[in-house]
Amino acid sequence: MPLNRSSQSTERAESTIYAPQYLATTLGMFVLVFLVAFESMAVTTVMPLVSEPLDGERYFALAFAAPIASGMLGMVAAGEVTDRWGPKHPLFIAVAVFCVGLLICGSAENMQTLIAGRILQGIGGGAITVAIYVLIARAYPGHLHSKIFALFATAWVIPAMIGPWMAGLIAVHLGWRWVFSGVAVLVVLAFCGVVPALKSLRSTRNPDLGPISMKRLVLAGLTGVAVICMNLLGNAQGRWSLLGLVLALAVALAAVRPLLPKGTFSLARGLPSTIMTRIFVAGAFFGVEVYLPYLLREDYHLGPDRAGLILTASALCWSVGSWLQGKLGEKVESSTCITVGAIAGCIAISTALATAVFHPPVLVLVCGWAVGGFGMGMIFPRQNVNMLALSAKDEQGFNSSAMTVADSLGNAGVTAVGGVIFAMAATGMGFISVFSFSLLLVLVLIAISPRTKAVARPAA
């Protein structure tokens, strides 16, 4: 009888990501993800303050776009290395590169130096995400994956709500340089919590894999450059801008194909369809969200503070959805959570479209977009859980990088296409046209989400 009680106690302890053997790693990874997210949000607030003393107004757009391209390179490089040697050394290097980039930005005396730091930030930040995914696969049992990814969702939601405000306070009272340099110090402290888990992992070379593919690294860089071009052309008008966007999109799709699992674009069951759902959900949801404050200002004459409340409501419901899917764990299949999230996204985008057409009370849009936030909380963590469940051990790095690349491509690509649609739409039809386009994407997402279900591949 005492043995049974002891076994039950051990089982209960191992059913939480806060068990003693996981606590330091869990908290360390949470703070790392939080700081990477905070930095991406904070830059939006402080960049106007940065560009003025550095005389860099003409480089303003590039300062935002550069980390997108370098992030793709960091994601793919981390995937290549982690499959061959494990996440230990890649995560050390990624954190070091990220911190060096922050310190360069914090000490920059001109805009060119700051952009160089932003490029290193992108490489390090992209690699950190991929290495952490692999660390989760190696350090936590499968039944805890939904819970740890739910926690990571919170690590992104909190900066979305308070990041710009905190960055503004730091910039006003301490100076904008501390938004970069101060975060570098915190990153090092957070990483100390992850070090013990990394030390326990073996980093021997996987003999079944050949050398790192330089072709994939080149294609990752090319994809990033194409995404930058799409972003720069997204809000431009005219026939040549449209042709340039189509060309950049074609280059991005051609270059990204070898960076994704085989069968992704043909919607093969299991892992390929899981990766494809990330492209659609990131594109459809964020492709609408960027226009909501604009819609509320133009059609409802709301100030930025009140218009921002709709995004806050969505972020809070995102946390609720993430918590719920983590609580459900293995009781509900990942494919079911993905489908539920897609349906919730459809409700949200339909509400946004109806708001643009019929102009109901603004509370209708707030409630509808909150439903969408809940759906994203259900779908995003479970896409990651499903990806790891369907990955062989020597493919965890590649598939993790594929998921993050798909996220960036969907978000940036659809936002760019939406910008052209908005610019070319007839007067008064911009919001309706963009939201209709995103609604079409989310309907496709609902159709393909059941294809994410497949028998998990055994670990090598």
Side-chain angles (χ1 to χ4, degrees):
M1 194 68 170
L3 180 61
N4 290 337
R5 280 200 294 266
S6 177
S7 299
Q8 291 173 359
S9 177
T10 301
E11 184 177 348
R12 283 195 298 270
E14 292 182 349
S15 66
T16 172
I17 57 177
Y18 303 108
Q21 64 269 39
Y22 304 131
L23 182 59
T25 306
T26 297
L27 296 180
M29 288 195 301
F30 172 82
V31 177
L32 273 179
V33 173
F34 173 87
L35 292 172
V36 171
F38 170 79
E39 192 62 28
S40 67
M41 309 289 179
V43 169
T44 304
T45 301
V46 302
M47 193 55 69
L49 300 176
V50 173
S51 61
E52 184 175 349
L54 299 186
D55 191 26
E57 285 81 3
R58 65 185 183 276
Y59 297 110
F60 194 84
L62 187 58
F64 286 100
I68 298 175
S70 61
M72 296 255 188
L73 181 60
M75 294 167 192
V76 174
E80 290 283 303
V81 177
T82 52
D83 279 341
R84 287 161 174 79
W85 284 281
K88 181 192 298 186
H89 298 310
L91 192 51
F92 270 99
I93 296 172
V95 169
V97 171
F98 186 69
C99 288
V100 169
L102 288 171
L103 294 175
I104 290 175
C105 290
S107 59
E109 296 296 333
N110 54 65
M111 203 64 171
Q112 293 89 334
T113 302
L114 186 132
I115 289 174
R118 295 282 288 156
I119 290 172
L120 291 178
Q121 271 186 260
I123 294 173
I128 286 172
T129 302
V130 173
I132 281 179
Y133 282 8
V134 179
L135 176 59
I136 290 171
R138 307 284 173 89
Y140 293 80
H143 68 275
L144 293 182
H145 289 176
S146 60
K147 292 178 172 59
I148 192 70
F149 281 119
L151 183 67
F152 285 179
T154 303
W156 274 94
V157 166
I158 294 175
M161 293 189 293
I162 67 172
W165 172 72
M166 288 181 61
L169 287 179
I170 294 171
V172 169
H173 296 288
L174 298 177
W176 64 263
R177 296 183 186 277
W178 281 101
V179 175
F180 297 101
S181 303
V183 170
V185 176
L186 296 177
V187 167
V188 173
L189 294 177
F191 184 62
C192 292
V194 183
V195 170
L198 292 175
K199 286 184 175 180
S200 67
L201 297 177
R202 298 178 61 188
S203 58
T204 54
R205 175 77 161 80
N206 187 337
D208 297 328
L209 297 177
I212 291 175
S213 173
M214 296 305 297
K215 176 183 177 181
R216 286 178 180 167
L217 297 182
V218 171
L219 290 175
L222 181 59
T223 303
V225 171
V227 168
I228 285 181
C229 293
M230 284 191 290
N231 274 265
L232 296 179
L233 293 168
N235 293 315
Q237 300 184 25
R239 182 180 61 182
W240 294 111
S241 296
L242 177 60
L243 292 175
L245 176 63
V246 171
L247 178 60
L249 180 60
V251 171
L253 292 176
V256 83
R257 195 180 186 94
L259 307 180
L260 306 178
K262 291 181 179 179
T264 297
F265 287 102
S266 60
L267 299 177
R269 284 190 174 274
L271 178 65
S273 288
T274 301
I275 300 296
M276 182 57 79
T277 59
R278 178 59 66 89
I279 295 177
F280 277 97
V281 70
F285 186 81
F286 295 114
V288 171
E289 189 171 69
V290 296
Y291 287 97
L292 293 183
Y294 188 16
L295 170 69
L296 293 173
R297 186 187 70 187
E298 291 293 309
D299 292 0
Y300 291 86
H301 308 291
L302 297 181
D305 53 344
R306 296 175 64 190
L309 289 177
I310 186 174
L311 305 184
T312 301
S314 175
L316 291 173
C317 290
W318 190 312
S319 293
V320 173
S322 298
W323 172 83
L324 179 60
Q325 67 80 32
K327 190 72 173 177
L328 293 172
E330 295 181 317
K331 297 176 184 176
V332 178
E333 292 184 345
S334 293
S335 59
T336 301
C337 289
I338 293 172
T339 302
V340 170
I343 294 172
C346 183
I347 293 172
I349 295 173
S350 298
T351 303
L353 178 59
T355 300
V357 175
F358 301 109
H359 308 291
V362 71
L363 184 61
V364 173
L365 179 60
V366 173
C367 294
W369 205 246
V371 171
F374 173 83
M376 295 306 100
M378 291 287 288
I379 193 171
F380 264 71
R382 283 308 181 100
Q383 288 172 321
N384 296 331
V385 171
N386 208 43
M387 177 270 294
L388 291 179
L390 299 176
S391 300
K393 187 175 181 179
D394 60 358
E395 295 176 342
Q396 291 167 344
F398 173 80
N399 293 337
S400 295
S401 72
M403 182 65 80
T404 53
V405 166
D407 194 333
S408 297
L409 181 63
N411 193 338
V414 173
T415 301
V417 173
V420 171
I421 292 174
F422 189 88
M424 297 184 64
T427 303
M429 292 294 293
F431 296 118
I432 296 173
S433 301
V434 172
F435 297 168
S436 297
F437 173 61
S438 288
L439 181 60
L440 176 62
L441 295 180
V442 83
L443 290 174
V444 175
L445 172 64
I446 293 173
I448 66 176
S449 57
R451 298 184 64 82
T452 61
K453 182 179 181 181
V455 178
R457 296 177 56 179

